[in-house]
Structures are given as structure tokens and as C-alpha cells.
Amino acid sequence: MTQMLNNRSILLRSRPQGLPTEDNFEFIQSPVRELKENEVLIRSIYLSVDPYMRGRMSEGKSYVEPYRVGEPITGGVVGEVVKSSSPQLKVGDHVLGMLGWQHYNVADAGSVRKIDSSLAPLSAYLSVLGLTGLTAYFGLIDIGKPKAGETVVVSGAAGAVGMIVGQIAKIKGARVVGIAGTDEKVRYLQEELGFDAAINYKTAADLEQAVKLACPEGVDVYFDNVGGPVSDAVMNALNDHARIPLCGAISSYNNPEGDIGPRIQTKLIKTRSLIQGFVLSDYSDRMSEGMQELGQWVAQGRLKYKETVIEGFDQVPQAFLKLFQGSNLGKMLVKVSDEDTRLL
């Protein structure tokens, strides 16, 4: 019986002060309740861990409601329907949704989207065809507006969003420079993804000079994933009418004192540059457009993606913490269970 099925969940035990630790998370067990009308029971297969989740662990106004202490953390989940009381979804269907860090989630059928594992691997719906790929697509296309021959710089370029941004910019005919944190990532960007140049910001003796050398004709588009000193260096190489899609600022997410740095207003005025923050929900009515373009490029072999997959539900907090160590190449995912397991 469903009510006897035991569930495991990961709660936010306490709000982090600075860098999160495993003590901020709590594992609990509880029974799975019976389904109500139009609900489905979903067994988690892949869980997504993302830098934006750090912001939701803190109190304060943001573009999304903060997590509540004592409740399961939520994020992108790909899973399988194992019980259904809805005509929309049947047992065996694979779905994508914003669900809890749990082995099982009970959800309204209308709150999740059916996905097709014959078109792409299930994990791709959390990476190149999911939140990160769509964020890269809309941020670059709508705000960055790269033109053929322009120079596009991407920070966090070996991350899940950054590597897609750079490749889309190449598809659009731009010259692309990536900034990453290891020599391995720099090689990957250039040798595997076709970036024109790449910079290891951790080993560059003078980052500002390294950016100028890599961008001899200046920077037309800067896709900012990290903020901090990396972005300070790029700002000094902006061309007139540069565009800056502001996607993330992971360099400051764990700084309890806030981020303090050079003032950029004068640079933006002198170059007449545009800087615009955005979140994926801004484009909720255009998701099918983004997925169609991304899916076509993947099918054509023009868009590659990389995933760092950690196995085991117990490893979810550790996978999340690894994001702030820069150890992942591409999208960080946790595989919770096998895709073909039938538990009910």
C-alpha cells in the first residue's frame, strides 16, 4: 500500500551563515500519503543542485521565496510516475518539475511536465534542455544579442550555463572567450567546445591584462555568472554599447558581509553599455521556443553539454557544496535511483 511506503527527505535544518555546511541539512524519514484527485506519485531519478539555491537558504526579499527551515528543499527533479490518480499522466511516464529533495514526491499532475526519454537522455532535461540551457539561451539571445564578428566573454564558462552560452555565441558567429578556474577546464573549453580563447582566472598574474590580451578588439557582450574580481577585470575592456546579461554572482553568495568592489557606473556611462539582470521565469511563456532551438542544435551536433553526476541520495548536500569549490564540469546532478527500477 502507498501509505506504507517509506520516504526520505532532506530538510533545511538551519540557515547558513557564510558557506553552507552539511550541518545545515537534515535527513528525515516519513510515510508517503495517499494520492488525492489529479495527483501523481513520482520517484526521483535525478536531482539538480544549483548555485541559486544558496540564495533561497537565506531570509530576505528576492525573486523567489526563501526556503523554510524544517521543510524539504526544492529544485529541479526528473522522475518516474509510479502511481497516478490523473488522466494526464500514467504509471511509467517520465516527468520534470520543481519538486522536493526526496525519494518520492506527491504532486499535482498539472505542476509537472511529461518528457520523452527517446528524444534525449533524462538528465539532459535538467541541463542543456532544462533550467541551465534555457537560462543560457534567453540571457544571451535576448539581452546579449551577439552579432557575427563580435567578442563575447563568459565567466563561469565551464559551468552548466556558461558552456552553453559560449557555444550559442559561436553558432551566432561571435568570437568567444571563456573564463574558468582550472587548466583542465580551460583546455576543455578550447579543445572540446571550440572557444577561441580561455583564461584561468586563478593563475593569471594580471587578470585585467589577460582579458585585454584575449580580447584585442574589446568586449561586446559579457555574460556574467560570477561577479567579483573576474567581472571587475572584464568591465575595463568593454566596447561602446556593450551588453551585459547578469545571470549570477556566485563569488559573493557565501559572503555574510555583502559584496564590495569597484564602482562600475562611470564605465557603463562612458561606454553606453547595457547591464540587465534576469531570471528564467521572465521567459515562462517562451520555454517551448528555447527548447526547440536547443534541441535542434544538440541533434545537429552543434551544441555539446557536459554533466557531473554524483550517485546516491545521501550525497545530495555534498554535491551542492561542491558547486562552491568549482569542482564540477558542466551541470552538477545527483542520480538518486535507476531509470528502470520499479518499486511499486
Side-chain angles (χ1 to χ4, degrees):
M1 296 295 290
T2 302
Q3 65 266 29
M4 299 301 294
L5 186 66
N6 212 27
N7 199 9
R8 293 187 73 208
S9 308
I10 302 174
L11 315 183
L12 181 65
R13 174 188 286 170
S14 59
R15 299 199 183 280
Q17 301 299 316
L19 187 68
T21 70
E22 293 197 44
D23 291 337
N24 296 123
F25 305 96
E26 180 179 4
F27 287 80
I28 67 163
Q29 294 192 12
S30 59
V32 175
R33 67 169 174 82
E34 284 285 0
L35 300 184
K36 299 176 183 177
E37 185 178 358
N38 205 45
E39 288 186 331
V40 289
L41 178 63
I42 301 164
R43 175 179 59 83
S44 298
I45 298 174
Y46 290 99
L47 304 183
S48 176
V49 294
D50 299 281
Y52 80 86
M53 294 176 169
R54 174 61 184 87
R56 295 193 66 188
M57 292 176 186
S58 300
E59 288 184 299
K61 182 180 178 181
S62 185
Y63 60 86
V64 65
E65 183 181 358
Y67 295 128
R68 296 178 181 175
V69 174
E71 294 188 1
I73 293 169
T74 58
V77 176
V78 161
E80 179 189 11
V81 175
V82 293
K83 190 171 184 181
S84 175
S85 65
S86 168
Q88 297 174 246
L89 295 168
K90 67 180 187 300
V91 172
D93 284 344
H94 291 116
V95 295
L96 168 70
M98 293 298 289
L99 303 169
W101 280 1
Q102 304 182 131
H103 275 297
Y104 296 95
N105 281 276
V106 174
D108 184 276
S111 69
V112 296
R113 179 166 57 87
K114 184 178 177 180
I115 57 177
D116 190 346
S117 60
S118 68
L119 298 178
L122 291 178
S123 60
Y125 290 95
L126 289 172
S127 58
V128 66
L129 300 181
L131 182 149
T132 51
L134 291 166
T135 297
Y137 175 84
F138 288 115
L140 182 65
I141 298 299
D142 266 45
I143 302 172
K145 296 180 169 58
K147 302 179 183 68
E150 290 190 324
T151 296
V152 175
V153 174
V154 188
S155 59
V161 173
M163 66 170 54
I164 303 301
V165 169
Q167 292 179 87
I168 295 175
K170 289 294 295 181
I171 289 171
K172 296 299 181 180
R175 181 176 184 276
V176 179
V177 177
I179 303 176
T182 70
D183 289 340
E184 176 192 5
K185 292 178 178 179
V186 164
R187 283 193 297 272
Y188 178 80
L189 294 173
Q190 294 181 280
E191 297 174 7
E192 297 294 327
L193 301 186
F195 280 45
D196 297 283
I199 301 167
N200 183 340
Y201 74 90
K202 292 183 179 179
T203 59
D206 184 330
L207 185 55
E208 183 176 333
Q209 185 63 22
V211 170
K212 289 180 179 179
L213 287 173
C215 307
E217 297 184 8
V219 176
D220 300 294
V221 180
Y222 173 45
F223 197 103
D224 190 1
N225 285 305
V226 304
V230 170
S231 294
D232 295 340
V234 179
M235 292 292 178
N236 289 321
L238 295 179
N239 285 333
D240 289 350
H241 306 292
R243 289 84 68 197
I244 307 166
L246 186 55
C247 179
I250 194 171
S251 65
S252 64
Y253 288 169
N254 298 306
N255 184 352
E257 299 178 359
D259 197 23
I260 299 175
R263 306 292 188 258
I264 64 172
Q265 289 89 339
T266 301
K267 297 183 180 70
L268 297 178
I269 293 169
K270 288 180 178 179
T271 60
R272 285 88 75 204
S273 295
L274 166 73
I275 183 168
Q276 181 177 334
F278 73 100
V279 294
L280 184 57
S281 58
D282 296 339
Y283 301 94
S284 57
D285 61 340
R286 294 174 56 194
M287 294 300 181
S288 59
E289 169 201 330
M291 288 193 66
Q292 183 175 356
E293 286 284 345
L294 293 166
Q296 184 175 8
W297 288 330
V298 171
Q300 293 171 345
R302 302 177 74 189
L303 185 60
K304 300 178 183 179
Y305 64 99
K306 189 76 172 177
E307 298 167 346
T308 298
V309 180
I310 295 179
E311 302 224 5
F313 188 71
D314 290 344
Q315 301 303 311
V316 174
Q318 191 56 236
F320 172 71
L321 298 178
K322 285 180 180 293
L323 291 172
F324 304 102
Q325 301 168 8
S327 58
N328 59 298
L329 182 60
K331 183 75 184 76
M332 179 76 86
L333 298 170
V334 180
K335 188 175 184 182
V336 176
S337 60
D338 291 334
E339 298 178 13
D340 58 356
T341 300
R342 300 288 190 270
L343 296 183
L344 292 182

